[in-house]
Amino acid sequence: GAVVSQHPSRVICKSGTSVKIECRSLDFQATTMFWYRQFPKQSLMLMATSNEGSKATYEQGVEKDKFLINHASLTLSTLTVTSAHPEDSSFYICSAIFRGPGPFYGYTFGSGTRLTVV
Amino acid sequence: AQTVTQSQPEMSVQEAETVTLSCTYDTSENNYYLFWYKQPPSRQMILVIRQEAYKQQNATENRFSVNFQKAAKSFSLKISDSQLGDTAMYFCAFNTGGTASKLTFGTGTRLQVTL
């Protein structure tokens, strides 16, 4: 249980175009989702926290107009990289909080999207 | 602000041996949660083990166990009987609890299990 499906797994786009990445919670309702960026051989850097029905909260230094996040339903959050440039090339990962029995909760992660901007 | 430090960028262990990965953290909170995640070459993040700060007993999951020292703010991961499939990047992570609480990750330790 608690699976997050992330698509696409890989995408190549031309500089100046926009790319949308989707994350769907398959068997639970994801009130909160997180979007991370990971550079090669580095840790996950939190970009923003997405809450269903409200505006995303962006981390310091992340351009909200560049990385548009929409969390319109309890099962879908999207990240759109607008006017992509080569420096936006990276590995993007989504994560959602799921509730278990009692007070337990955990984090489940999508399989990631490798974005290459040419 | 909370920080998580992993001082070992890379480690190597022979198959069937035991290895310990270090993690320290800094927080002023009293209630929080600690996690170890594994990221194999597929890059899928996999939960290895979690520990609630209010629990004194160290968490264990089969071959994986932790040494949680709350006063020292230390949370090391011990992998026993290492297997080739344990080769991965390991991240220590922390959060303060709550249903919308974000994870703070360490810089990671790359573990290579050799024959």
Side-chain angles (χ1 to χ4, degrees):
Chain A
V3 175
V4 169
S5 176
Q6 183 172 347
H7 292 281
S9 58
R10 291 174 180 265
V11 58
I12 301 173
C13 71
K14 291 184 177 180
S15 187
T17 61
S18 295
V19 173
K20 180 183 286 188
I21 302 170
E22 290 189 352
C23 271
R24 291 182 183 274
S25 56
L26 299 185
D27 49 2
F28 69 103
Q29 293 183 330
T31 305
T32 302
M33 279 197 178
F34 304 94
W35 287 93
Y36 295 89
R37 182 173 182 175
Q38 187 179 30
F39 292 104
K41 298 186 178 181
Q42 293 189 24
S43 188
L44 281 70
M45 181 190 77
L46 180 65
M47 299 174 66
T49 301
S50 159
N51 292 297
E52 185 268 336
S54 62
K55 290 184 178 181
T57 302
Y58 290 82
E59 295 299 301
Q60 191 172 7
V62 177
E63 299 177 61
K64 58 182 68 177
D65 294 331
K66 157 73 80 175
F67 300 100
L68 298 179
I69 291 173
N70 184 284
H71 193 160
S73 78
L74 286 171
T75 59
L76 175 65
S77 178
T78 61
L79 167 66
T80 301
V81 183
T82 63
S83 187
H85 290 285
E87 57 265 31
D88 298 324
S89 298
S90 192
F91 192 70
Y92 294 88
I93 306 175
C94 65
S95 175
I97 293 178
F98 67 93
R99 296 303 302 267
F104 176 81
Y105 72 93
Y107 298 82
T108 184
F109 290 81
S111 53
T113 298
R114 183 181 300 281
L115 170 64
T116 303
V117 185
V118 298
Chain B
Q2 290 92 6
T3 59
V4 179
T5 302
Q6 293 179 251
S7 59
Q8 305 152 314
E10 294 187 2
M11 293 194 72
S12 181
V13 63
Q14 284 193 320
E15 199 177 20
E17 297 296 308
T18 296
V19 64
T20 298
L21 308 183
S22 300
C23 173
T24 58
Y25 57 94
D26 187 26
T27 182
S28 58
E29 302 286 336
N30 190 46
N31 295 319
Y32 49 88
Y33 298 80
L34 294 158
F35 305 81
W36 278 98
Y37 282 93
K38 168 185 177 180
Q39 189 180 40
S42 68
R43 303 191 78 170
Q44 175 70 57
M45 295 290 285
I46 301 167
L47 177 66
V48 175
I49 200 165
R50 63 176 263 159
Q51 173 83 43
E52 291 88 345
Y54 63 86
K55 290 186 177 179
Q56 292 185 341
Q57 188 173 7
N58 289 323
T60 63
E61 285 289 341
N62 301 313
R63 297 183 295 108
F64 300 88
S65 61
V66 298
N67 183 2
F68 173 48
Q69 301 290 328
K70 190 173 183 179
K73 295 181 181 175
S74 170
F75 182 61
S76 61
L77 174 69
K78 185 172 81 171
I79 305 174
S80 304
D81 186 24
S82 296
Q83 300 176 358
L84 294 177
D86 295 334
T87 293
M89 194 76 169
Y90 286 81
F91 294 102
C92 180
F94 163 101
N95 83 347
T96 55
T99 56
S101 180
K102 61 184 180 183
L103 279 173
T104 299
F105 285 93
T107 51
T109 296
R110 184 171 300 279
L111 177 66
Q112 180 71 47
V113 180
T114 60
L115 290 171

